[in-house]
Amino acid sequence: MTSAPSPASRLAALLPDLSPLRSSADFRLLWVQGLVTYFGSFMAMIALPLQIKELTGSPLAVGAMGAVELVPLVVFGLYGGALADAVDRRKVILGTEAGLGLLALILLVNAALPTPLLWPLYVVAAGVSALAGLQRPALDSLMARIVPHEQLTAAAALNSLRWQFGAITGPAVAGLVVAYAGHATAYTVTVATFAASVVLCLRLTPAPPAQDSARPSLRGIVEGARYAWSRPVLLGTYAVDMAAMFFAFPNAIFPFLADELNADWSLGLMYAADSIGSLVLGLTSGWTSRVRRHGLFVVFGAAVWGLAIAGAGWFGNVWLVLVCLAVAGAGDMLSGLGRSTIWNQTIPEELRGRLAGIEVLSYSVGPQLGQVRAGAMAGWTGTRAAVWSGGVACVASVALLSALLPRLLTYDSETDEDALRRRRAKGAGATGTAGAAPEAGLSEA
């Protein structure tokens, strides 16, 4: 008779799967690099809207930052996807990290002026959006090459843990730094983290494109979009995430929500709460490596996100608001794990960069538009109404999309044709390093 698992073994099964860190040196480098960069990025992410609020006192002016970031993100995100399929991805990552560091330096110089200017804040926000659009496809498409196929969900969970650490510590520290040391100090920390990131990126293994790769072009971008459109599962991941973020991403109006709740002290916690929820899920994510139905992750996680955001707007007690935001973060991470796993399991290597560009739009355009929606809605209906109504709309849109794209709900990594094809291709050609041979793709499809 088989004995029941001990409490210790059950606990170990919940802990994060560290196998990607052990099996890939490049993954370890990128993990540490991201840990450093995210901390500095979140410092600036909090300091920037706070500075706009101090200079203008307008929720619309803060929300307009999303509108300024939108066009560069769309244009450079799509181009960055094509670029990632055509050039060495390591060079793209290195160059954009250096550029982001220079933009942080501009914020530092402006903050040090006797009277800081408003317009450079929007210019830098647009520049950061453009460089992030160029970088993220290269970063995201590199994951599927340097991590073994069976470890992709574990890698996504570890990457999310890294992001959550920055999202928790960055806002929490930024709130204190801005309050007691000023914006310039926060931007100084950001500059230092990007300098360290560049040093780490220099150690990455080159990641050249396939030998027959074409130069970045509109035709190549269209080819990637056609592939995504022809795959209902991929289409569902993009649509669910964009809808959830558009309707239920109220971060831009958190300063006004804190004011309305008479809890100015809670602002940093509001920005960090969803990341705390994500961190809790990430620290108990060992079980996710054994799941095959990742489409359910996407849908269920997005629905939890919307319900929790609705609660955050409805409740008038600041502690209940913070709990709701933490639950929302757990739902968002679950949905993100499902999206990342499906993308890495099913997309052919020669289209990975271009599809990563579309992925950038799916999880970035939604929040940018969501900031504009939240800011405009708050000016019209009030802050709390803007938050809870967006959460309700999120749940409704997720339900509708699930009905329209049922294959997302039935996705199974063991039976899906694209997942099986990519697993065979990686087993035949990949070596688990950044310089691995390209995988077979559409030509074999």
Side-chain angles (χ1 to χ4, degrees), residues 348-413:
E349 172 63 21
E350 71 272 20
L351 286 174
R352 194 68 193 87
R354 280 164 284 180
L355 270 293
I358 296 175
E359 292 157 18
V360 168
L361 300 188
S362 77
Y363 60 66
S364 298
V365 171
Q368 305 308 326
L369 291 175
Q371 290 187 84
V372 178
R373 183 211 69 84
M377 194 80 175
W380 179 37
T381 66
T383 303
R384 289 176 59 190
V387 176
W388 71 254
S389 63
V392 172
C394 166
V395 175
S397 64
V398 169
L400 177 61
L401 289 168
S402 299
L404 294 175
L405 297 166
R407 288 189 61 181
L408 176 61
L409 290 173
T410 59
Y411 173 84
D412 188 321
S413 60

Short mmCIF file of all heavy atoms in Angstrom, two decimals, residues 348-413:
data_model
loop_
_atom_site.label_atom_id
_atom_site.label_comp_id
_atom_site.label_asym_id
_atom_site.label_seq_id
_atom_site.Cartn_x
_atom_site.Cartn_y
_atom_site.Cartn_z
N PRO A 348 5.72 29.05 -33.34
CA PRO A 348 6.97 28.61 -33.99
C PRO A 348 8.10 29.61 -33.76
O PRO A 348 7.87 30.82 -33.63
CB PRO A 348 6.59 28.55 -35.48
CG PRO A 348 5.11 28.51 -35.51
CD PRO A 348 4.63 29.25 -34.30
N GLU A 349 9.34 29.11 -33.74
CA GLU A 349 10.50 29.95 -33.44
C GLU A 349 10.65 31.10 -34.42
O GLU A 349 10.96 32.22 -34.02
CB GLU A 349 11.77 29.09 -33.43
CG GLU A 349 13.07 29.86 -33.32
CD GLU A 349 13.22 30.64 -32.01
OE1 GLU A 349 12.53 30.29 -31.03
OE2 GLU A 349 14.02 31.60 -31.98
N GLU A 350 10.45 30.87 -35.72
CA GLU A 350 10.71 31.93 -36.69
C GLU A 350 9.67 33.04 -36.65
O GLU A 350 9.86 34.11 -37.23
CB GLU A 350 10.78 31.36 -38.12
CG GLU A 350 9.46 30.89 -38.70
CD GLU A 350 9.16 29.45 -38.36
OE1 GLU A 350 9.75 28.92 -37.40
OE2 GLU A 350 8.33 28.84 -39.06
N LEU A 351 8.55 32.81 -35.94
CA LEU A 351 7.55 33.84 -35.75
C LEU A 351 7.52 34.37 -34.31
O LEU A 351 6.72 35.23 -33.98
CB LEU A 351 6.15 33.30 -36.09
CG LEU A 351 5.82 33.11 -37.57
CD1 LEU A 351 4.48 32.44 -37.72
CD2 LEU A 351 5.83 34.44 -38.30
N ARG A 352 8.42 33.87 -33.48
CA ARG A 352 8.34 34.15 -32.05
C ARG A 352 8.48 35.64 -31.75
O ARG A 352 7.77 36.18 -30.90
CB ARG A 352 9.45 33.37 -31.33
CG ARG A 352 9.26 33.31 -29.83
CD ARG A 352 8.04 32.47 -29.46
NE ARG A 352 7.69 32.66 -28.05
CZ ARG A 352 6.90 33.63 -27.60
NH1 ARG A 352 6.37 34.49 -28.42
NH2 ARG A 352 6.63 33.72 -26.32
N GLY A 353 9.40 36.32 -32.43
CA GLY A 353 9.57 37.74 -32.18
C GLY A 353 8.34 38.54 -32.57
O GLY A 353 7.87 39.41 -31.82
N ARG A 354 7.83 38.28 -33.78
CA ARG A 354 6.66 39.05 -34.24
C ARG A 354 5.43 38.79 -33.39
O ARG A 354 4.66 39.70 -33.08
CB ARG A 354 6.38 38.71 -35.71
CG ARG A 354 7.30 39.45 -36.67
CD ARG A 354 7.28 38.85 -38.06
NE ARG A 354 8.06 37.61 -38.09
CZ ARG A 354 8.22 36.86 -39.17
NH1 ARG A 354 7.61 37.21 -40.30
NH2 ARG A 354 8.95 35.77 -39.14
N LEU A 355 5.24 37.54 -32.97
CA LEU A 355 4.11 37.25 -32.08
C LEU A 355 4.34 37.85 -30.69
O LEU A 355 3.39 38.27 -30.03
CB LEU A 355 3.89 35.74 -32.00
CG LEU A 355 2.93 35.11 -33.02
CD1 LEU A 355 1.51 35.58 -32.79
CD2 LEU A 355 3.35 35.43 -34.45
N ALA A 356 5.60 37.91 -30.28
CA ALA A 356 5.90 38.58 -29.01
C ALA A 356 5.56 40.06 -29.09
O ALA A 356 5.16 40.67 -28.10
CB ALA A 356 7.37 38.38 -28.63
N GLY A 357 5.74 40.66 -30.27
CA GLY A 357 5.33 42.05 -30.46
C GLY A 357 3.84 42.23 -30.28
O GLY A 357 3.38 43.21 -29.67
N ILE A 358 3.07 41.28 -30.80
CA ILE A 358 1.63 41.33 -30.61
C ILE A 358 1.28 41.11 -29.14
O ILE A 358 0.37 41.73 -28.58
CB ILE A 358 0.94 40.29 -31.51
CG1 ILE A 358 1.17 40.64 -32.98
CG2 ILE A 358 -0.56 40.22 -31.21
CD1 ILE A 358 0.64 39.61 -33.96
N GLU A 359 2.05 40.22 -28.48
CA GLU A 359 1.83 39.98 -27.05
C GLU A 359 2.06 41.26 -26.25
O GLU A 359 1.32 41.55 -25.30
CB GLU A 359 2.78 38.88 -26.56
CG GLU A 359 2.44 37.51 -27.13
CD GLU A 359 3.65 36.57 -27.11
OE1 GLU A 359 4.61 36.87 -26.36
OE2 GLU A 359 3.65 35.57 -27.84
N VAL A 360 3.10 42.01 -26.62
CA VAL A 360 3.37 43.27 -25.93
C VAL A 360 2.16 44.19 -26.01
O VAL A 360 1.76 44.83 -25.03
CB VAL A 360 4.61 43.96 -26.53
CG1 VAL A 360 4.73 45.40 -26.02
CG2 VAL A 360 5.88 43.19 -26.17
N LEU A 361 1.55 44.24 -27.20
CA LEU A 361 0.37 45.08 -27.35
C LEU A 361 -0.78 44.56 -26.49
O LEU A 361 -1.52 45.34 -25.89
CB LEU A 361 -0.07 45.11 -28.83
CG LEU A 361 0.95 45.67 -29.82
CD1 LEU A 361 0.30 45.82 -31.19
CD2 LEU A 361 1.49 47.02 -29.36
N SER A 362 -0.94 43.24 -26.42
CA SER A 362 -2.08 42.67 -25.70
C SER A 362 -2.01 42.97 -24.21
O SER A 362 -3.03 43.19 -23.57
CB SER A 362 -2.17 41.16 -25.94
OG SER A 362 -1.22 40.45 -25.17
N TYR A 363 -0.79 42.93 -23.63
CA TYR A 363 -0.73 43.18 -22.19
C TYR A 363 -0.22 44.57 -21.83
O TYR A 363 -0.10 44.89 -20.65
CB TYR A 363 0.10 42.11 -21.46
CG TYR A 363 1.54 41.95 -21.85
CD1 TYR A 363 2.48 42.94 -21.63
CD2 TYR A 363 1.98 40.76 -22.43
CE1 TYR A 363 3.81 42.77 -21.98
CE2 TYR A 363 3.31 40.58 -22.77
CZ TYR A 363 4.22 41.58 -22.53
OH TYR A 363 5.54 41.41 -22.88
N SER A 364 0.04 45.42 -22.83
CA SER A 364 0.50 46.78 -22.53
C SER A 364 -0.48 47.85 -23.00
O SER A 364 -0.69 48.85 -22.31
CB SER A 364 1.87 47.03 -23.18
OG SER A 364 2.83 46.15 -22.65
N VAL A 365 -1.07 47.65 -24.18
CA VAL A 365 -2.02 48.65 -24.68
C VAL A 365 -3.24 48.72 -23.76
O VAL A 365 -3.75 49.81 -23.47
CB VAL A 365 -2.44 48.32 -26.13
CG1 VAL A 365 -3.59 49.22 -26.56
CG2 VAL A 365 -1.25 48.51 -27.07
N GLY A 366 -3.68 47.55 -23.29
CA GLY A 366 -4.83 47.55 -22.39
C GLY A 366 -4.64 48.43 -21.17
O GLY A 366 -5.48 49.28 -20.87
N PRO A 367 -3.53 48.28 -20.43
CA PRO A 367 -3.30 49.16 -19.28
C PRO A 367 -3.18 50.64 -19.65
O PRO A 367 -3.65 51.50 -18.90
CB PRO A 367 -1.98 48.64 -18.70
CG PRO A 367 -1.95 47.21 -19.08
CD PRO A 367 -2.58 47.14 -20.44
N GLN A 368 -2.55 50.94 -20.81
CA GLN A 368 -2.43 52.35 -21.20
C GLN A 368 -3.81 52.95 -21.46
O GLN A 368 -4.13 54.04 -20.98
CB GLN A 368 -1.56 52.49 -22.45
CG GLN A 368 -0.18 51.86 -22.35
CD GLN A 368 0.58 52.30 -21.12
OE1 GLN A 368 0.46 53.44 -20.67
NE2 GLN A 368 1.36 51.41 -20.55
N LEU A 369 -4.63 52.24 -22.23
CA LEU A 369 -6.00 52.71 -22.46
C LEU A 369 -6.80 52.70 -21.17
O LEU A 369 -7.66 53.55 -20.95
CB LEU A 369 -6.68 51.85 -23.52
CG LEU A 369 -6.14 51.97 -24.95
CD1 LEU A 369 -6.83 50.96 -25.86
CD2 LEU A 369 -6.33 53.38 -25.48
N GLY A 370 -6.51 51.71 -20.31
CA GLY A 370 -7.20 51.64 -19.04
C GLY A 370 -6.93 52.85 -18.16
O GLY A 370 -7.81 53.32 -17.44
N GLN A 371 -5.70 53.37 -18.21
CA GLN A 371 -5.38 54.58 -17.45
C GLN A 371 -6.20 55.76 -17.94
O GLN A 371 -6.73 56.55 -17.15
CB GLN A 371 -3.90 54.91 -17.58
CG GLN A 371 -2.98 53.94 -16.87
CD GLN A 371 -1.55 54.42 -16.88
OE1 GLN A 371 -1.14 55.22 -16.05
NE2 GLN A 371 -0.77 53.96 -17.84
N VAL A 372 -6.32 55.87 -19.28
CA VAL A 372 -7.11 56.96 -19.85
C VAL A 372 -8.58 56.81 -19.46
O VAL A 372 -9.25 57.77 -19.05
CB VAL A 372 -6.95 56.99 -21.38
CG1 VAL A 372 -7.82 58.10 -21.98
CG2 VAL A 372 -5.49 57.20 -21.77
N ARG A 373 -9.10 55.57 -19.58
CA ARG A 373 -10.50 55.32 -19.22
C ARG A 373 -10.75 55.65 -17.75
O ARG A 373 -11.73 56.32 -17.39
CB ARG A 373 -10.85 53.85 -19.47
CG ARG A 373 -12.33 53.52 -19.19
CD ARG A 373 -12.52 52.10 -18.70
NE ARG A 373 -11.96 51.89 -17.38
CZ ARG A 373 -12.60 52.18 -16.24
NH1 ARG A 373 -13.81 52.71 -16.26
NH2 ARG A 373 -12.01 51.96 -15.07
N ALA A 374 -9.84 55.19 -16.87
CA ALA A 374 -10.03 55.42 -15.44
C ALA A 374 -9.97 56.90 -15.11
O ALA A 374 -10.80 57.40 -14.33
CB ALA A 374 -8.97 54.65 -14.65
N GLY A 375 -9.01 57.63 -15.70
CA GLY A 375 -8.89 59.05 -15.43
C GLY A 375 -10.11 59.82 -15.90
O GLY A 375 -10.64 60.68 -15.18
N ALA A 376 -10.57 59.53 -17.12
CA ALA A 376 -11.73 60.23 -17.66
C ALA A 376 -12.99 59.89 -16.87
O ALA A 376 -13.82 60.75 -16.56
CB ALA A 376 -11.91 59.88 -19.14
N MET A 377 -13.16 58.58 -16.53
CA MET A 377 -14.34 58.14 -15.80
C MET A 377 -14.37 58.74 -14.39
O MET A 377 -15.43 59.13 -13.89
CB MET A 377 -14.34 56.61 -15.72
CG MET A 377 -15.65 56.00 -15.29
SD MET A 377 -16.80 55.93 -16.66
CE MET A 377 -18.17 55.05 -15.88
N ALA A 378 -13.19 58.84 -13.77
CA ALA A 378 -13.13 59.41 -12.43
C ALA A 378 -13.55 60.87 -12.42
O ALA A 378 -14.21 61.34 -11.50
CB ALA A 378 -11.72 59.26 -11.86
N GLY A 379 -13.16 61.60 -13.47
CA GLY A 379 -13.56 63.00 -13.57
C GLY A 379 -15.05 63.17 -13.79
O GLY A 379 -15.62 64.22 -13.46
N TRP A 380 -15.68 62.13 -14.33
CA TRP A 380 -17.11 62.20 -14.66
C TRP A 380 -17.99 61.65 -13.54
O TRP A 380 -18.97 62.27 -13.13
CB TRP A 380 -17.36 61.43 -15.96
CG TRP A 380 -18.80 61.41 -16.40
CD1 TRP A 380 -19.72 62.41 -16.29
CD2 TRP A 380 -19.46 60.30 -17.01
NE1 TRP A 380 -20.93 62.01 -16.80
CE2 TRP A 380 -20.80 60.71 -17.25
CE3 TRP A 380 -19.08 59.03 -17.40
CZ2 TRP A 380 -21.73 59.88 -17.85
CZ3 TRP A 380 -20.02 58.19 -18.00
CH2 TRP A 380 -21.32 58.62 -18.23
N THR A 381 -17.65 60.47 -13.01
CA THR A 381 -18.51 59.79 -12.05
C THR A 381 -17.95 59.78 -10.63
O THR A 381 -18.66 59.38 -9.70
CB THR A 381 -18.74 58.33 -12.46
OG1 THR A 381 -17.50 57.61 -12.38
CG2 THR A 381 -19.28 58.23 -13.88
N GLY A 382 -16.69 60.15 -10.46
CA GLY A 382 -16.03 60.01 -9.17
C GLY A 382 -15.07 58.82 -9.18
O GLY A 382 -15.24 57.89 -9.98
N THR A 383 -14.12 58.84 -8.29
CA THR A 383 -13.05 57.84 -8.33
C THR A 383 -13.56 56.43 -8.05
O THR A 383 -13.28 55.50 -8.81
CB THR A 383 -11.97 58.20 -7.29
OG1 THR A 383 -11.48 59.52 -7.57
CG2 THR A 383 -10.82 57.22 -7.36
N ARG A 384 -14.29 56.24 -6.97
CA ARG A 384 -14.72 54.88 -6.60
C ARG A 384 -15.65 54.28 -7.64
O ARG A 384 -15.55 53.08 -7.96
CB ARG A 384 -15.38 54.90 -5.23
CG ARG A 384 -14.39 55.15 -4.09
CD ARG A 384 -15.09 55.27 -2.75
NE ARG A 384 -15.84 54.06 -2.43
CZ ARG A 384 -16.70 53.98 -1.41
NH1 ARG A 384 -16.93 55.04 -0.64
NH2 ARG A 384 -17.34 52.86 -1.16
N ALA A 385 -16.54 55.07 -8.20
CA ALA A 385 -17.43 54.56 -9.24
C ALA A 385 -16.65 54.14 -10.48
O ALA A 385 -16.98 53.14 -11.13
CB ALA A 385 -18.48 55.61 -9.60
N ALA A 386 -15.60 54.90 -10.81
CA ALA A 386 -14.78 54.55 -11.96
C ALA A 386 -14.09 53.20 -11.76
O ALA A 386 -13.90 52.43 -12.70
CB ALA A 386 -13.74 55.64 -12.21
N VAL A 387 -13.73 52.91 -10.49
CA VAL A 387 -13.04 51.64 -10.20
C VAL A 387 -14.01 50.46 -10.25
O VAL A 387 -13.78 49.47 -10.94
CB VAL A 387 -12.34 51.72 -8.83
CG1 VAL A 387 -11.71 50.37 -8.48
CG2 VAL A 387 -11.26 52.80 -8.84
N TRP A 388 -15.13 50.54 -9.50
CA TRP A 388 -16.00 49.37 -9.42
C TRP A 388 -16.73 49.08 -10.73
O TRP A 388 -16.94 47.92 -11.10
CB TRP A 388 -16.97 49.46 -8.25
CG TRP A 388 -18.10 50.45 -8.33
CD1 TRP A 388 -18.21 51.62 -7.67
CD2 TRP A 388 -19.33 50.33 -9.09
NE1 TRP A 388 -19.38 52.26 -7.97
CE2 TRP A 388 -20.09 51.48 -8.83
CE3 TRP A 388 -19.83 49.36 -9.94
CZ2 TRP A 388 -21.33 51.69 -9.41
CZ3 TRP A 388 -21.08 49.56 -10.53
CH2 TRP A 388 -21.82 50.72 -10.26
N SER A 389 -17.09 50.12 -11.46
CA SER A 389 -17.78 49.88 -12.74
C SER A 389 -16.85 49.23 -13.75
O SER A 389 -17.28 48.38 -14.56
CB SER A 389 -18.33 51.20 -13.30
OG SER A 389 -17.28 52.11 -13.58
N GLY A 390 -15.56 49.57 -13.71
CA GLY A 390 -14.60 48.93 -14.59
C GLY A 390 -14.44 47.46 -14.27
O GLY A 390 -14.31 46.61 -15.17
N GLY A 391 -14.45 47.10 -12.98
CA GLY A 391 -14.35 45.70 -12.60
C GLY A 391 -15.53 44.89 -13.10
O GLY A 391 -15.37 43.76 -13.59
N VAL A 392 -16.73 45.44 -12.98
CA VAL A 392 -17.93 44.75 -13.46
C VAL A 392 -17.86 44.55 -14.97
O VAL A 392 -18.17 43.48 -15.50
CB VAL A 392 -19.20 45.53 -13.08
CG1 VAL A 392 -20.43 44.94 -13.75
CG2 VAL A 392 -19.37 45.55 -11.56
N ALA A 393 -17.44 45.59 -15.69
CA ALA A 393 -17.32 45.49 -17.15
C ALA A 393 -16.27 44.45 -17.54
O ALA A 393 -16.42 43.75 -18.55
CB ALA A 393 -16.96 46.85 -17.73
N CYS A 394 -15.21 44.33 -16.75
CA CYS A 394 -14.18 43.33 -17.01
C CYS A 394 -14.76 41.93 -16.95
O CYS A 394 -14.54 41.11 -17.86
CB CYS A 394 -13.04 43.48 -16.01
SG CYS A 394 -11.89 42.10 -15.94
N VAL A 395 -15.50 41.62 -15.89
CA VAL A 395 -16.09 40.28 -15.75
C VAL A 395 -17.03 39.98 -16.90
O VAL A 395 -17.02 38.87 -17.48
CB VAL A 395 -16.82 40.16 -14.40
CG1 VAL A 395 -17.53 38.81 -14.29
CG2 VAL A 395 -15.84 40.32 -13.24
N ALA A 396 -17.86 40.94 -17.27
CA ALA A 396 -18.80 40.74 -18.38
C ALA A 396 -18.07 40.48 -19.69
O ALA A 396 -18.46 39.59 -20.47
CB ALA A 396 -19.72 41.96 -18.50
N SER A 397 -17.00 41.22 -19.95
CA SER A 397 -16.27 41.05 -21.20
C SER A 397 -15.54 39.70 -21.25
O SER A 397 -15.49 39.05 -22.30
CB SER A 397 -15.27 42.19 -21.40
OG SER A 397 -14.28 42.18 -20.39
N VAL A 398 -15.01 39.25 -20.11
CA VAL A 398 -14.34 37.94 -20.07
C VAL A 398 -15.35 36.83 -20.34
O VAL A 398 -15.05 35.87 -21.08
CB VAL A 398 -13.64 37.74 -18.71
CG1 VAL A 398 -13.18 36.29 -18.54
CG2 VAL A 398 -12.46 38.68 -18.58
N ALA A 399 -16.54 36.94 -19.77
CA ALA A 399 -17.57 35.93 -20.01
C ALA A 399 -17.96 35.89 -21.48
O ALA A 399 -18.12 34.81 -22.07
CB ALA A 399 -18.79 36.22 -19.14
N LEU A 400 -18.12 37.06 -22.10
CA LEU A 400 -18.50 37.12 -23.51
C LEU A 400 -17.41 36.52 -24.40
O LEU A 400 -17.70 35.73 -25.31
CB LEU A 400 -18.77 38.57 -23.90
CG LEU A 400 -19.11 38.83 -25.38
CD1 LEU A 400 -20.39 38.09 -25.76
CD2 LEU A 400 -19.26 40.33 -25.64
N LEU A 401 -16.16 36.87 -24.15
CA LEU A 401 -15.06 36.36 -24.97
C LEU A 401 -14.90 34.85 -24.81
O LEU A 401 -14.57 34.15 -25.77
CB LEU A 401 -13.76 37.07 -24.60
CG LEU A 401 -13.67 38.54 -25.02
CD1 LEU A 401 -12.48 39.21 -24.35
CD2 LEU A 401 -13.55 38.65 -26.55
N SER A 402 -15.14 34.33 -23.62
CA SER A 402 -15.06 32.89 -23.41
C SER A 402 -16.11 32.15 -24.22
O SER A 402 -15.86 31.06 -24.75
CB SER A 402 -15.23 32.56 -21.91
OG SER A 402 -14.22 33.17 -21.14
N ALA A 403 -17.29 32.76 -24.32
CA ALA A 403 -18.35 32.16 -25.13
C ALA A 403 -18.03 32.22 -26.62
O ALA A 403 -18.33 31.29 -27.38
CB ALA A 403 -19.68 32.85 -24.84
N LEU A 404 -17.39 33.30 -27.06
CA LEU A 404 -17.07 33.46 -28.47
C LEU A 404 -15.85 32.64 -28.90
O LEU A 404 -15.73 32.28 -30.08
CB LEU A 404 -16.81 34.94 -28.78
CG LEU A 404 -18.01 35.89 -28.63
CD1 LEU A 404 -17.57 37.34 -28.84
CD2 LEU A 404 -19.10 35.53 -29.63
N LEU A 405 -14.94 32.35 -27.96
CA LEU A 405 -13.71 31.62 -28.29
C LEU A 405 -13.57 30.41 -27.36
O LEU A 405 -12.69 30.34 -26.50
CB LEU A 405 -12.50 32.55 -28.13
CG LEU A 405 -12.47 33.77 -29.06
CD1 LEU A 405 -11.44 34.79 -28.59
CD2 LEU A 405 -12.16 33.33 -30.50
N PRO A 406 -14.44 29.39 -27.55
CA PRO A 406 -14.45 28.26 -26.62
C PRO A 406 -13.17 27.42 -26.65
O PRO A 406 -12.88 26.71 -25.68
CB PRO A 406 -15.66 27.44 -27.09
CG PRO A 406 -15.84 27.81 -28.53
CD PRO A 406 -15.45 29.26 -28.61
N ARG A 407 -12.39 27.48 -27.74
CA ARG A 407 -11.18 26.66 -27.79
C ARG A 407 -10.14 27.10 -26.76
O ARG A 407 -9.27 26.31 -26.39
CB ARG A 407 -10.58 26.71 -29.20
CG ARG A 407 -11.40 25.93 -30.23
CD ARG A 407 -10.68 25.80 -31.56
NE ARG A 407 -9.41 25.10 -31.44
CZ ARG A 407 -8.59 24.88 -32.46
NH1 ARG A 407 -8.90 25.36 -33.66
NH2 ARG A 407 -7.46 24.23 -32.28
N LEU A 408 -10.23 28.34 -26.30
CA LEU A 408 -9.33 28.77 -25.24
C LEU A 408 -9.59 27.98 -23.97
O LEU A 408 -8.66 27.56 -23.27
CB LEU A 408 -9.51 30.27 -24.98
CG LEU A 408 -8.69 30.87 -23.83
CD1 LEU A 408 -7.19 30.72 -24.09
CD2 LEU A 408 -9.03 32.34 -23.61
N LEU A 409 -10.86 27.75 -23.66
CA LEU A 409 -11.22 27.01 -22.45
C LEU A 409 -10.81 25.54 -22.55
O LEU A 409 -10.53 24.90 -21.53
CB LEU A 409 -12.73 27.11 -22.20
CG LEU A 409 -13.26 28.48 -21.77
CD1 LEU A 409 -14.77 28.47 -21.74
CD2 LEU A 409 -12.71 28.86 -20.40
N THR A 410 -10.79 24.98 -23.75
CA THR A 410 -10.50 23.55 -23.90
C THR A 410 -9.04 23.28 -24.24
O THR A 410 -8.66 22.14 -24.47
CB THR A 410 -11.38 22.96 -25.01
OG1 THR A 410 -11.12 23.64 -26.25
CG2 THR A 410 -12.86 23.09 -24.65
N TYR A 411 -8.18 24.31 -24.26
CA TYR A 411 -6.77 24.10 -24.59
C TYR A 411 -6.14 23.09 -23.64
O TYR A 411 -6.28 23.18 -22.42
CB TYR A 411 -6.01 25.42 -24.50
CG TYR A 411 -4.50 25.26 -24.68
CD1 TYR A 411 -3.94 25.20 -25.95
CD2 TYR A 411 -3.66 25.13 -23.57
CE1 TYR A 411 -2.57 25.04 -26.11
CE2 TYR A 411 -2.29 24.98 -23.73
CZ TYR A 411 -1.75 24.93 -25.00
OH TYR A 411 -0.40 24.76 -25.16
N ASP A 412 -5.40 22.13 -24.22
CA ASP A 412 -4.70 21.09 -23.46
C ASP A 412 -3.32 20.94 -24.08
O ASP A 412 -3.19 20.63 -25.27
CB ASP A 412 -5.47 19.77 -23.52
CG ASP A 412 -4.90 18.71 -22.59
OD1 ASP A 412 -3.66 18.62 -22.48
OD2 ASP A 412 -5.68 17.97 -21.98
N SER A 413 -2.28 21.15 -23.28
CA SER A 413 -0.92 21.13 -23.82
C SER A 413 -0.51 19.76 -24.32
O SER A 413 0.44 19.65 -25.10
CB SER A 413 0.07 21.58 -22.74
OG SER A 413 0.03 20.72 -21.61
#
